[in-house]
Amino acid sequence: MRVHKLTVIAALAAAASLSLTACQNGDDGAAGSGTSSAPSASSSKDAPDQAGSAQPGGKGGTAAGKGTAAGTTTPGSGKTAKCRTDDLEIKALDHTIDGDTDGTVAVELKNRSGRDCAISGYAGVDLKTSAGSLSAKRTGEQAPAGVLKKGKTVAFGINYPLNTSGGSGVRITGLVVTPPDETKSVTLPWPGTATLPVTDGSGTPVKVGPIGSAGQGGE
């Protein structure tokens, strides 16, 4: 009788153990299902942040710039970031051809930032002279938007009257260039003829073309 009673108790204990194991396995399965769905939700949530973190800048004178930490896109916009002054190496060269009635200076801007950047429109141009600062007037040509690839160069032209009066004229002492949509300028040696003719003061005789108006180099 005692043996039979112990056998029944053992059987009941085994059944209880199996029931408990089954419940635990069911809980584990639910937990596993919940865990496996978490990364999917996390990845979807993190995707915009990852995208944002990947988007973070002849004779003549040169101003070298150091690349900025700006990325190729404006954060959150998906657009190529504009070329900053510090992204560019700026050089001025005399491009006057014998026989021309006007002098020409080409200003080259080389992208040294290590990434593409957007540049378009007109640069600010001021001549430093013995009579004070002289701002160049825009020619009014169309200035299409463009992307300056890393390591590449784009240029614009400056036209000015040659001093053929025989007089001393107005002496040019330097060239100040401000890239489009920038406030930081660079000062370069003036590579053109040394003087401008004296004018009646009715307007500036110096003209500046848009970015790309003097051709684009490959270096």
Side-chain angles (χ1 to χ4, degrees):
M1 185 70 177
R2 180 179 179 82
V3 172
H4 176 71
K5 188 175 182 179
L6 290 175
T7 301
V8 172
I9 292 173
L12 291 174
S17 176
L18 290 173
S19 176
L20 180 60
T21 301
C23 291
Q24 290 174 338
N25 287 341
D27 292 341
D28 288 345
S33 174
T35 302
S36 63
S37 65
S40 175
S42 174
S43 298
S44 175
K45 180 179 179 182
D46 290 345
D49 293 339
Q50 292 167 352
S53 63
Q55 301 169 355
K59 61 179 180 177
T62 302
K66 180 180 179 182
T68 67
T72 59
T73 56
T74 302
S77 71
K79 297 180 180 179
T80 303
K82 69 179 181 180
C83 299
R84 309 306 298 254
T85 302
D86 287 342
D87 292 334
L88 303 169
E89 177 184 343
I90 304 176
K91 180 189 301 182
L93 304 169
D94 183 9
H95 274 208
T96 303
I97 299 174
D98 289 342
D100 283 354
T101 56
D102 290 330
T104 302
V105 165
V107 178
E108 297 181 349
L109 303 94
K110 181 176 182 179
N111 182 359
R112 293 171 55 99
S113 68
R115 56 186 64 85
D116 299 347
C117 61
I119 189 167
S120 64
Y122 285 79
V125 170
D126 295 278
L127 270 59
K128 298 170 69 175
T129 77
S130 56
S133 180
L134 177 64
S135 296
K137 182 179 180 180
R138 297 178 179 183
T139 60
E141 297 175 64
Q142 183 68 27
V147 174
L148 184 57
K149 299 292 185 179
K150 60 181 180 181
K152 298 300 182 179
T153 300
V154 68
F156 64 87
I158 301 172
N159 294 98
Y160 62 97
L162 297 173
N163 183 15
T164 57
S165 65
S168 59
V170 178
R171 184 167 55 88
I172 304 172
T173 60
L175 171 64
V176 180
V177 175
T178 309
D181 301 318
E182 275 287 85
T183 57
K184 184 176 182 180
S185 303
V186 295
T187 301
L188 307 170
W190 173 250
T193 58
T195 63
L196 294 172
V198 176
T199 65
D200 58 8
S202 59
T204 176
V206 182
K207 310 292 183 183
V208 56
I211 297 294
S213 61
Q216 181 169 342
E219 300 297 334

